[in-house]
Amino acid sequence: MLRSVDLATALGPKQPMATNGRQHLCSAPKRSFLDERLDLLTARYGDAVAAGTYCYQRVIEHQDGAWVTVGGRRLLMLASYGYLGLLGHPKIAAASQEAAATLGTGSHGVPLLAGTTTLHVELERAIADFVGTDAAVVFGSGYVANVATIAALATTDQVVICDRLDHASILDGCRLSGAKLMVYQHNDLAALERCLAQTEGRDALVVVDAVFSMDGDVAPMPEVVALCQRYGAALMVDEAHSLGVLGATGRGIAEHFDLDAGTIDIRTGTLSKSVPSAGGYVAGSHALVDALKHNARAFIFSAAVPPPQAAAASAAFAVVRDEPERVERLRRNGERYRTALRRLGFDLLASATPIVPLICPSEEAAFAMTHRCAADGVFVVPVVHPAVPRTSPRLRTMVTAAHGDDEIDLAVDVLARAGRRCGLIV
Ligand SMILES: Cc1ncc(COP(=O)(O)O)c(C=O)c1O
């Protein structure tokens, strides 16, 4: 426990101290609840630092296509959410710079009171047009969009039904709403139906990720939609990892499965993955968006994303629309990468997207893989409990449209070498 050691050293032994001619025993200040709590919360981090296995929050000094510079070394990036390779795109960068010049680097505050801007209105339109809904509203992040939406819409006498692997923001929103939470086994339609049948007359909101961020598999959306319709439940889908990824033109899960417009009541997503900016959105009917703009606490009590971010996001939607070959390139890259890794014997779960987990025999193996890959010039990241079950620690890798065939083959070679040494494959 690094903190307790530091504290004891800093305080030194108890010493008598002369004050006003009297001797007092100067005792160490009583440790507060906070000291204990911080010890507990940082214990694992401290242990990893001491063991030399800590490999998170690496500091990127430069970014160039599929490559990043860390500690002066160029590494091939296999841990980026920038699925379409749009970071640094000249049109997006130019739009952001122009916005900073005309509207400044910050918003005036809460849009409801301090006003919105033409750039924010244009972004809401761009999102709605791209995903095929009537309207959209932008929040400070995708996390906030999920929390705010569920907390605003669900009430204590309703039920929110979630897939076990849904994003943390969905579960947090549910807790904040006070609604009863029901969780079903991952992608298990029979389990979802059992939940829908057990709501005891209460209204239900089903919330699912379109693409699951840790496993890289896709929700069986046509069946989920059919179940929601049969039981009269509303459906909210998080498109954080499907926007720009699924569907021939990157429109997301509805395009992927050719679902009719309106079959998904609420679509949420982020502006920080395929779209290289910051913020989150909720898209749906005019009534939904108006309701959120006047009831979602994160919209009423929090400032808008800055104009340069709004402009960058709008420009990114235009680029995705005008350069659909990026979506196709991403799909082909994912296929090439997964096929090569499966042929080598890696366990990739049911990944069918650019998110490709490599299951490791132990947490130690996941950390060892990360260090070996970094030594060979590849940036990957381990994901362990509690982010994923204790039984399936993994390297979570991602390919993007920025990778060329040679770079994918290089990554596979490095992973194969490390995988043999660390016991992932024979
Ligand atoms: C499925 C999912 N939803 C929401 C979010 C939150 O998005 P943001 O980073 O914009 O807060 C993430 C972030 O990784 C995510 O994976």
Side-chain angles (χ1 to χ4, degrees):
M1 304 270 177
L2 292 175
R3 279 189 61 83
S4 12
V5 172
D6 291 345
L7 195 65
T9 315
L11 291 171
K14 286 178 185 173
Q15 286 174 0
M17 199 167 86
T19 316
N20 295 337
R22 285 183 306 176
Q23 294 269 314
H24 287 288
L25 190 66
C26 179
S27 60
K30 201 164 177 285
R31 279 170 63 78
S32 74
F33 124 84
L34 185 61
D35 295 316
E36 307 290 342
R37 186 80 184 123
L38 296 184
D39 277 353
L40 192 74
L41 294 177
T42 56
R44 202 172 175 198
Y45 156 76
D47 290 348
V49 171
T53 55
Y54 187 76
C55 49
Y56 299 103
Q57 299 190 70
R58 274 174 279 179
V59 180
I60 296 173
E61 294 140 12
H62 185 71
Q63 127 81 31
D64 164 29
W67 296 82
V68 291
T69 306
V70 176
R73 288 183 63 226
R74 266 187 113 223
L75 300 178
L76 182 61
M77 185 60 159
L78 272 190
S80 171
Y81 296 119
Y83 295 117
L84 294 176
L86 292 177
L87 260 186
H89 190 290
K91 284 187 186 160
I92 300 172
S96 168
Q97 281 157 10
E98 194 185 323
T102 53
L103 281 159
T105 54
S107 57
H108 293 276
V110 172
L112 214 53
L113 305 177
T116 183
T117 73
T118 45
L119 292 175
H120 291 81
V121 173
E122 279 164 27
L123 174 57
E124 290 172 354
R125 193 64 263 146
I127 294 168
D129 287 349
F130 191 81
V131 302
T133 58
D134 291 341
V137 49
V138 172
F139 288 87
S141 72
Y143 179 96
V144 167
N146 280 341
V147 170
T149 300
I150 300 172
L153 299 178
T155 63
T156 45
D157 38 52
Q158 290 170 342
V159 177
V160 178
I161 303 175
C162 300
D163 185 292
R164 194 171 69 83
L165 297 191
D166 276 355
H167 191 256
S169 53
I170 292 171
L171 301 175
D172 292 354
C174 184
R175 286 192 195 106
L176 195 60
S177 75
K180 180 179 161 69
L181 171 64
M182 294 174 101
V183 177
Y184 62 93
Q185 280 304 310
H186 178 50
N187 273 350
D188 182 338
L189 293 163
L192 168 59
E193 179 154 20
R194 279 196 296 280
C195 289
L196 284 163
Q198 286 166 13
T199 57
E200 293 157 355
R202 293 198 266 192
D203 293 329
L205 171 67
V206 173
V207 191
V208 281
D209 286 5
V211 168
F212 290 89
S213 59
M214 294 296 158
D215 288 25
D217 53 352
V218 180
M221 205 52 70
E223 291 81 4
V224 172
V225 167
L227 280 173
C228 288
Q229 288 175 346
R230 189 174 322 145
Y231 285 88
L235 176 60
M236 168 169 156
V237 176
D238 180 343
E239 299 241 47
H241 300 278
S242 51
L243 183 85
V245 174
L246 292 186
T249 62
R251 261 43 177 201
I253 192 103
E255 184 183 28
H256 178 74
F257 284 116
D258 201 15
L259 298 172
D260 288 341
T263 46
I264 300 171
D265 302 293
I266 307 165
R267 299 187 198 190
T268 69
T270 177
L271 302 173
S272 66
K273 300 191 193 312
S274 286
V275 171
S277 182
Y281 68 85
V282 182
S285 66
H286 285 296
L288 170 73
V289 166
D290 287 342
L292 291 176
K293 284 187 172 179
H294 296 91
N295 294 275
R297 292 170 69 80
F299 192 81
I300 302 173
F301 295 112
S302 187
V305 294
Q309 256 49 63
S314 288
F317 280 104
V319 169
V320 181
R321 193 193 53 221
D322 297 345
E323 301 176 16
E325 61 277 9
R326 285 178 181 274
V327 180
E328 175 56 16
R329 169 95 226 168
L330 175 64
R331 197 188 55 72
R332 276 196 290 119
N333 282 354
E335 253 171 40
R336 183 184 187 94
Y337 182 63
R338 290 189 307 273
T339 304
L341 292 175
R342 285 201 167 108
R343 201 173 286 145
L344 284 162
F346 283 105
D347 176 2
L348 311 182
L349 300 176
S351 168
T353 67
I355 302 173
V356 182
L358 277 69
I359 298 301
C360 299
S362 63
E363 291 193 355
E364 291 70 31
F367 291 117
M369 281 293 286
T370 305
H371 289 287
R372 283 195 179 281
C373 289
D376 280 350
V378 174
F379 185 134
V380 287
V381 65
V383 184
V384 298
H385 183 79
V388 293
R390 248 181 236 291
T391 47
S392 55
R394 65 197 68 181
L395 279 196
R396 178 163 165 266
T397 65
M398 266 97 71
V399 285
T400 72
H403 290 107
D405 288 353
D406 290 354
E407 288 159 340
I408 292 185
D409 297 347
L410 169 71
V412 170
D413 281 349
V414 168
L415 287 164
R417 265 200 309 277
R420 285 191 195 97
R421 307 273 307 247
C422 301
L424 278 72
I425 53 173
V426 285

